[in-house]
Amino acid sequence: MAILVTGGAGYIGSHTIAALQERGEEVIVVDNLQQGHKEALLGGKLYVGDLRDEDFLDEVFKENDIDAVIHFAANSLVGESMKSPGKYYHNNVYGTLCLLEKMNEHGTRKIVFSSTAATYGEPENVPIDEYDRTLPTNTYGETKLAMEKMMKWYDTAHNIKSISLRYFNAAGAHESGQIGEDHHPETHLIPIVLEVALGKRPHISVFGDDYKTPDGTCVRDYVHVSDLADAHVLAVDKLLSGAESAIYNLGNGTGFSVKEVIDIARSVTVKEIKAVIEPRREGDPATLVASSERARNELGWNPRRSRLEDIIKSAWRWHEANPNGYKKND
Ligand code: UFG
C-alpha cells in the first residue's frame, strides 16, 4: 500500500511527506520540480514529471500499488493567476482532470485535495465556515474551486471519494530545521518580513492601511504548516476507513493584521524591520479567518502549534539557517 503525493517537493507537500514518513508510510512523489525542491524531500520515491503527461503518469500508477493520493501539484500565486489565467486553468484544472482520469483507470478511489480559503473570495461572514458562499476574487481561487467541483462529479460517477482541505495562511517550518518555505518569487508576508530581518530586503511593503479592520491592514488566520500536514494524514485515514467526501477549513480561528505580524516578527527576531505603507494589492480580501470546527469534530484535527509567535519563531529558525532557501548557502 502506497500513498501518492503530487507536488510533494513543495512547501506544504514536503511537510506532509515528513509527517507520512514519521508514520512509516510508503510514499510515492510526483513533482515536475518547476517550483518544488528535491532537497525538500525527507523521503519517498520521486518521479520527476508532469501530471499532464499521460504516459508518465501511467507508469507511476503501473509501478506502484497506490491506495490514496494527496494532491498538491498546482500553481498558487494569486497575482500571477490574474495575469496568466490560461496557465492556471491548464496546470491546475487540466492537471487535476488528468490525475482523476488516471486514478479511475487504475482503481485508486481516495484523494485528499489541497484547496484554499481563496475559494471563498470576500467573505460574507467571519469566521468563515464551509457552508459559506464561494465566490473567488482571483483566478487561482477559481481554479481550486473548479478542481473541488470536478472531484464531486468523479465521486458521483466513479465513486472516487475526496477530502478537500481549504487552508488559510500556511506559515512556519518543520521542527527538525531541515525543511521550510522557499518560493521563487516569494510573495507571502511572513517570509518577506523575515527576509527584511535578514537584511536581504530594505523594507516590507504593507499593502494598504485603509481596510475596514482595527488597524486598517488586512487580517489573516495563520496556521502552522506541520499542523496542516497532520490534517492531510488524518484525512487519508478517514478516507481509507470508508468516509464520504467532505470539505474542511483549516485555520486557527484567530486573525492577525499585517501590522501585528510585523510587530511579532520584530520581537522574535530582535531586528528593526522597516515597514512602508503602499497601495492595496489587487484581490486581497480585508479579513480571512476560519472556523475549523468541522475539521476538529470530524477529522479529529487538533492544531498543536497555533501561537503566532511560535509559528514565526519556527520560520525564523529556518530562514536564519537557510538565508538562500534550499540553494547552497554562501
Ligand atoms: N502582504 C503585505 N506585503 C507583502 C506581502 C503580503 O502587506 O509583501 C499582505 C497581503 O496584502 C495580505 C497579507 O499580507 O493582506 C497576507 O498575504 P500573503 O501573500 O502572505 O497571503 P494571502 O492571504 O494573500 O494568501 C494566502 C495563500 C494563498 C491563498 C490566500 C487565500 O498564500 O495561496 O491566502 O486568500 F490563496
Side-chain angles (χ1 to χ4, degrees):
M1 152 176 169
I3 297 171
L4 169 64
V5 182
T6 75
Y11 175 44
I12 305 171
S14 59
H15 285 76
T16 299
I17 289 174
L20 292 167
Q21 292 287 314
E22 274 162 34
R23 292 215 322 186
E25 303 285 352
E26 185 187 350
V27 176
I28 310 300
V29 186
V30 164
D31 201 300
N32 63 14
L33 296 180
Q34 270 174 19
Q35 296 150 85
H37 309 272
K38 243 190 219 164
E39 301 80 358
L41 292 171
L42 298 184
K45 180 176 170 195
L46 174 64
Y47 289 80
V48 179
D50 199 290
L51 297 179
R52 294 165 290 185
D53 177 344
E54 201 194 331
D55 293 340
F56 163 76
L57 201 54
D58 211 41
E59 278 303 303
V60 175
F61 275 88
K62 271 191 191 140
E63 286 179 13
N64 301 284
D65 185 12
I66 296 167
D67 289 310
V69 176
I70 308 181
H71 179 35
F72 293 100
N75 289 110
S76 62
L77 298 176
V78 170
E80 182 190 56
S81 78
M82 299 300 284
K83 293 197 176 88
S84 309
K87 176 175 178 179
Y88 279 69
Y89 274 91
H90 204 267
N91 190 24
N92 296 2
V93 179
Y94 177 58
T96 299
L97 175 63
C98 296
L99 174 64
L100 288 169
E101 278 295 305
K102 212 38 80 186
M103 286 175 63
N104 187 38
E105 206 179 302
H106 289 270
T108 301
R109 311 225 168 264
K110 315 286 178 195
I111 180 166
V112 175
F113 172 54
S114 163
S115 190
T116 170
T119 52
Y120 293 109
E122 190 70 55
E124 287 185 304
N125 305 303
V126 177
I128 305 170
D129 75 31
E130 295 83 352
Y131 300 101
D132 283 333
R133 177 192 69 180
T134 47
L135 194 61
T137 52
N138 54 62
T139 314
Y140 164 66
E142 192 75 75
T143 60
K144 286 277 174 166
L145 189 59
M147 292 148 87
E148 283 188 4
K149 287 185 175 166
M150 204 189 288
M151 287 184 209
K152 174 179 136 187
W153 297 112
Y154 272 74
D155 182 0
T156 306
H158 303 303
N159 199 31
I160 292 181
K161 301 294 177 196
S162 68
I163 290 184
S164 294
L165 300 175
R166 291 179 178 161
Y167 332 135
F168 283 62
N169 288 59
H174 196 259
E175 60 191 3
S176 68
Q178 288 176 280
I179 55 175
E181 189 165 9
D182 182 12
H183 293 115
H184 296 279
E186 188 53 80
T187 62
H188 296 109
L189 179 64
I190 291 177
I192 292 180
V193 167
L194 297 179
E195 286 179 8
V196 179
L198 281 172
K200 293 183 71 186
R201 294 178 191 247
H203 65 265
I204 172 77
S205 304
V206 175
F207 297 142
D209 68 347
D210 57 351
Y211 285 94
K212 279 195 186 144
T213 59
D215 67 16
T217 64
C218 289
V219 169
R220 294 288 182 274
D221 182 342
Y222 296 88
V223 53
H224 197 288
V225 63
S226 295
D227 284 335
L228 293 181
D230 291 345
H232 291 78
V233 177
L234 290 167
V236 168
D237 284 348
K238 192 168 171 72
L239 286 175
L240 291 176
S241 71
E244 288 300 319
S245 295
I247 296 174
Y248 298 110
N249 285 344
L250 299 178
N252 281 309
T254 309
F256 291 88
S257 73
V258 173
K259 282 186 176 167
E260 286 173 321
V261 169
I262 297 170
D263 280 339
I264 296 172
R266 284 180 178 134
S267 88
V268 165
T269 60
V270 203
K271 305 276 182 190
E272 192 192 344
I273 310 185
K274 187 177 174 204
V276 175
I277 308 295
E278 290 190 14
R280 290 182 178 200
R281 186 172 70 177
E282 199 190 347
D284 274 344
T287 301
L288 287 173
V289 176
S291 163
S292 301
E293 283 311 299
R294 203 169 175 204
R296 287 170 189 267
N297 294 337
E298 294 181 21
L299 273 185
W301 185 57
N302 178 25
R304 290 180 295 125
R305 308 152 183 98
S306 44
R307 281 184 65 223
L308 184 56
E309 195 187 345
D310 295 336
I311 294 175
I312 294 180
K313 269 187 194 159
S314 79
W316 179 234
R317 259 198 310 277
W318 159 258
H319 284 279
E320 245 194 328
N322 303 277
N324 299 317
Y326 290 102
K327 267 196 245 137
K328 217 170 155 39
N329 297 323
D330 298 328

